[in-house]
Amino acid sequence: MLVAALAAGGFAGTERHAHAGGVSYVALGDSYSSGVGSRTYYESDDECYRSPAGYPALLSAELGGRLDFQACSGAGVTAVRVNQLDALDAATTHVTVSVGGNDAGFARVLTACARPWPYTCWDEIDSAKTVITESLPGRLDTLYAEIVERAPNATVVAVGYPRLFNGEQCNLAAQITPSEQAELNATADLLAEVTGDRAAAHGLGFADPREAFLGHAVCDSAEWINGVSYPILESYHPNRTGYARGYVPVVADRLAAGVPAA
């Protein structure tokens, strides 16, 4: 159930491009772009769980213009390429894209790590790292090149993921040990390194939210990330505060810079 729920995902009725000369913002990616974890979603029949409390909707309100909200929960690189890139064209002015976590199988890894003793998730973590280092760079290269080709006049920002854990165990429904938490955070760091490197290679900015979420992980006194939640779909995603205070400032800064991160 946890795998299915974490990988599920959307919002129907996406907005199309702005009028000529205005802001035309296209939000691409997975559940961290669609706004899963916020518990508030647009009515839809596409199971993408797009939220008015996700960072694309909040950023769009700041940017003005109109939002073409393509991000869909459960999307990997291939799904973004096949299902979301038609929204891009020469009139697109801003693009954000978060993707890679589903390619690495993070839902499966977290499900394995949540099992009680004596079960462990070291094999699943190792498999995720192998995908991140061996397969994901090529997939991102193809995706980023296509985005740049389809939206040649846009400021494009790849958006990363926060570290989820602080080493504490506060939820009996998920028996993730401190050592497993540390390794999961290290895997998030590896994903950030690969994503930022490939983004820079294609002239994209990289919005890295890890520092913004320090002190706000699962089990922190001021959580910006949900632990195991009901419905299970909300688990291990930012909550409303996480999107508003963790993601929006970081992504907005990268979009405003208009150049790759150093």
Side-chain angles (χ1 to χ4, degrees), residues 16-26 66 87-95 149-155:
R16 301 310 301 175
H17 292 304
H19 297 295
V23 169
S24 176
Y25 170 29
V26 180
R66 299 180 71 184
L88 304 174
D89 61 27
T92 304
T93 60
H94 298 75
V95 179
E149 180 180 6
R150 289 176 180 244
N153 301 310
T155 297

Side-chain angles (χ1 to χ4, degrees), residues 45 57-58 69 87 101 112 115 119 133 141 162 167 194 199-200 210 225 233 246 256:
D45 60 2
L58 300 177
F69 205 165
R115 295 175 299 179
Y119 297 103
T133 56
D141 282 336
V194 169
R210 289 176 295 169
I225 301 171
L233 173 76

Side-chain angles (χ1 to χ4, degrees), residues 91 123 128 148 152 246:
D123 289 344
V148 171

Side-chain angles (χ1 to χ4, degrees), residues 120 190 215 238-239:
T120 64
L190 178 63
N239 56 30

